[in-house]
Amino acid sequence: MHSGCRMALSRGLRCCQRVFSWVPVVIISSVVLWSYYAYVWELCLVTVENALEKAVYLLVFHIVFLLFIWTYWKAIFTPPKEPTKKFLLPYAEKERYDSEERPEVQRQILAEFAKKLPVYTRTGSGAIRFCDRCQVVKPDRCHHCSVCGMCVLKMDHHCPWVNNCIGFSNYKFFLLFLAYAMLYCAYIAATVFQYFLLYWTAELPNNRAKFHVLFLLFVSLMFFISLMFLFGYHCWLVGLNRTTLEAFSAPVFPSGPDKNGFHLGIRRNLEQVFGKRKKLWIIPVFTSIGDGLSFPMRMVSESHNPLLGGNQWDDEGTDDESPGNLLEP
């Protein structure tokens, strides 16, 4: 009976956690819905008098708004990808692994199984990376998300504002969401500013629209500044082909830690996320290269092409960072 009560309590807590995890999304959605009402109705339909100006404002606003909502939707509802079954430890090896008490033998069991897999990164001690909860050998750049309760391919971070884990399957959508959110805020601030001044100096009547117009400028500028820093940080990560987790803790290869291990040059780094068809870069459709299970590495590229060796990476400013410094500013 006590075990039944504990199970019921655990289910109840998990249910509450799932409900509360949507609170940030509800907050953002509420602010966006208010901004839509305030801009379309209170600014364009009530405050703006010039018909041409009103039409242009509404047309451009709805284009930006739809792109913003589309990318936000994709970032929220695109499920993160997890390792395929070939990375799952077979039953026989799992029995041997669980029954074995010697760590060095456990490491050997994993090493033998991983020989058949495209796995190159290691733990800090040099062992094969293995998730005890998912019972899988982790592919390169894969990490377990405690919030989602699963291993996520090329995991970047878990974002509460989209209530989703950002990884291989939706990182492009997350970046576009940040970009279009910035554009949305910048467009609102730019078009609202002149009417903000007119209301502020009392050249327009003191009515209900005044409150919405004043707050539209404050809120849009506040979000724009916050998004600018976050978007800039992720642009820096994309340029170096790093995830947020790799920026704080360098991936470990058989040769040792190397935070630039997946750095292929800026152009190829961008293609890893956005694909090779540049006309699709700004559209929220999946175009990332690869399957999320294995990734090209700098060491492999250099070994196959002698022109990539030597000082190319110095020229791009990546070797001035000490490999031992795992914390980025």
Side-chain angles (χ1 to χ4, degrees):
M1 182 174 179
H2 290 292
S3 61
C5 291
R6 284 196 297 269
M7 290 179 61
L9 180 60
S10 177
R11 291 196 195 97
L13 290 175
R14 285 197 299 269
C15 182
C16 291
Q17 183 182 17
R18 285 194 294 268
V19 171
F20 282 111
S21 66
W22 286 101
V23 170
V25 176
V26 171
I27 292 174
I28 294 296
S29 301
S30 300
V31 173
V32 171
L33 288 174
W34 165 78
S35 69
Y36 182 89
Y37 162 77
Y39 190 90
V40 171
W41 183 262
E42 300 294 351
L43 176 71
C44 292
L45 299 182
V46 174
T47 304
V48 178
E49 296 181 352
N50 185 284
L52 178 60
E53 182 182 6
K54 185 181 301 188
V56 172
Y57 278 11
L58 286 172
L59 176 63
V60 178
F61 172 82
H62 280 92
I63 293 174
V64 176
F65 178 78
L66 288 175
L67 288 170
F68 167 48
I69 293 299
W70 187 7
T71 54
Y72 191 39
W73 178 275
K74 296 284 284 186
I76 293 174
F77 294 107
T78 301
K81 288 189 68 175
E82 54 187 327
T84 57
K85 291 183 178 180
K86 73 176 182 178
F87 289 86
L88 184 66
L89 197 64
Y91 182 77
E93 278 79 0
K94 181 180 180 301
E95 287 289 302
R96 288 177 55 207
Y97 181 86
D98 291 339
S99 61
E100 184 57 59
E101 296 181 357
R102 292 169 294 178
E104 64 276 10
V105 178
Q106 288 183 324
R107 291 177 57 173
Q108 183 61 33
I109 293 171
L110 295 177
E112 291 174 359
F113 174 66
K115 287 180 181 178
K116 303 174 289 184
L117 302 173
V119 174
Y120 299 95
T121 54
R122 301 290 188 263
T123 65
S125 62
I128 297 295
R129 300 191 313 128
F130 180 71
C131 180
D132 289 311
R133 284 162 289 190
C134 298
Q135 296 293 303
V136 296
V137 169
K138 295 180 182 178
D140 294 343
R141 316 185 85 176
C142 174
H143 296 273
H144 185 89
C145 177
S146 58
V147 179
C148 296
M150 60 183 286
C151 284
V152 177
L153 297 182
K154 197 186 176 183
M155 179 178 173
D156 187 86
H157 69 289
H158 185 90
C159 180
W161 299 108
V162 299
N163 191 29
N164 201 359
C165 211
I166 305 303
F168 175 75
S169 63
N170 58 3
Y171 188 55
K172 177 190 175 182
F173 305 145
F174 177 74
L175 290 174
L176 290 180
F177 156 62
L178 296 179
Y180 285 125
M182 282 180 57
L183 181 61
Y184 181 72
C185 293
Y187 178 77
I188 289 177
T191 53
V192 161
F193 184 69
Q194 62 173 320
Y195 294 98
F196 170 87
L197 292 178
L198 293 174
Y199 275 119
W200 190 263
T201 56
E203 293 186 38
L204 286 176
N206 189 8
N207 53 23
R208 186 183 63 181
K210 177 180 180 180
F211 165 83
H212 292 282
V213 170
L214 295 181
F215 271 88
L216 265 177
L217 183 65
F218 287 129
V219 172
S220 60
L221 287 177
M222 179 185 68
F223 275 97
F224 176 81
I225 293 172
S226 301
L227 289 165
M228 180 178 63
F229 286 106
L230 183 59
F231 181 68
Y233 176 68
H234 278 280
C235 286
W236 176 74
L237 290 177
V238 172
L240 296 176
N241 202 354
R242 295 180 194 166
T243 65
T244 298
L245 294 176
E246 291 166 353
F248 284 93
S249 181
V252 180
F253 298 87
S255 58
D258 184 2
K259 64 172 61 179
N260 297 318
F262 296 104
H263 185 20
L264 307 172
I266 293 179
R267 180 183 62 82
R268 290 186 63 191
N269 291 344
L270 288 170
E271 290 176 351
Q272 287 289 302
V273 176
F274 295 100
K276 295 187 176 182
R277 301 177 64 185
K278 293 184 179 180
K279 62 183 180 181
L280 296 179
W281 281 15
I282 62 173
I283 306 299
V285 294
F286 184 81
T287 53
S288 300
I289 294 177
D291 56 6
L293 298 170
S294 59
F295 300 89
M297 293 175 289
R298 179 168 64 103
M299 296 82 72
V300 176
S301 298
E302 289 179 355
S303 65
H304 283 78
N305 186 352
L307 297 178
L308 294 179
N311 295 325
Q312 165 146 347
W313 309 110
D314 295 334
D315 294 340
E316 295 188 5
T318 59
D319 284 341
D320 58 342
E321 300 166 346
S322 170
N325 180 18
L326 302 183
L327 293 179
E328 298 292 338

